[in-house]
Amino acid sequence: MVDHTPDHPPKTPPPPKRPLSPPRPETGLAEPRVRMEMRNRRAANWTLEAAPWSAGKASRAVVSRLHEWGYRQADQAASYLTELLVRTAVGDGGKRVSVHLADQNRQALIVSLSHQTGLTVCDDTLLRELAVLGAVSCGSDTAEDGRRVWVVLDL
């Protein structure tokens, strides 16, 4: 019996292509804001440059879409509310603004998102102004993706 030693080392499996990432640490903070989700209704959205002219462009886009959906009686209120929402988002100092629109049960939801981090929720002055302009309901919140201000309008 002859001992035979191999000419090469034993074959080892290749290393993994991506190392496994460790579990995310628990921060102990409140749960993160859920991404905005609109289901079972018509919806539209626009992303605009954060510029002074964006308010007018967003307003025209929202009113035009409401007309496409058959709503013509809330033109002035929808226009004023959209302009104020977008001017507020532009004033936050980000590079872009997004506007979201949805309808349900003869009401419209109009939302502006500033995409600027580190902001606080809107003060009561803005919310009162939105109510005076015709909002049935309105609110504001902040998260990592920016400040979100929304209104609900009867159509």
Side-chain angles (χ1 to χ4, degrees):
M1 193 184 271
V2 177
D3 277 335
H4 179 60
T5 58
D7 296 341
H8 51 82
K11 192 169 191 176
T12 58
K17 291 184 179 182
R18 265 187 5 198
L20 296 175
S21 59
R24 295 180 183 220
E26 294 295 324
T27 60
L29 300 175
E31 291 185 24
R33 174 173 76 178
V34 177
R35 291 187 58 92
M36 190 166 61
E37 210 172 283
M38 293 183 251
R39 294 183 185 185
N40 303 324
R41 66 200 67 172
R42 292 180 287 199
N45 59 64
W46 302 267
T47 301
L48 305 165
E49 178 185 349
W53 52 262
S54 296
K57 185 172 182 176
S59 174
R60 288 187 298 276
V62 166
V63 170
S64 174
R65 186 59 55 98
L66 288 173
H67 285 183
E68 287 177 24
W69 292 344
Y71 302 114
R72 295 191 177 273
Q73 58 277 21
D75 287 359
Q76 192 172 19
S79 178
Y80 289 157
L81 288 168
T82 303
E83 283 188 25
L84 182 55
L85 290 173
V86 174
R87 278 197 317 267
T88 301
V90 168
D92 289 343
K95 292 183 179 183
R96 63 189 169 105
V97 172
S98 55
V99 178
H100 305 267
L101 172 69
D103 78 321
Q104 182 179 11
N105 299 332
R106 302 214 41 90
Q107 289 186 321
L109 169 67
I110 307 169
V111 181
S112 71
L113 181 61
S114 67
H115 301 280
Q116 178 68 14
T117 59
L119 302 171
T120 60
V121 295
C122 291
D123 61 357
D124 290 340
T125 306
L126 174 66
L127 300 179
R128 279 194 293 275
E129 190 174 348
L130 291 169
V132 167
L133 290 174
V136 174
S137 180
C138 57
S140 169
D141 67 348
T142 60
E144 291 176 9
D145 59 347
R147 178 169 34 197
R148 180 168 57 191
V149 184
W150 55 270
V151 297
V152 174
L153 172 68
D154 280 334
L155 298 173

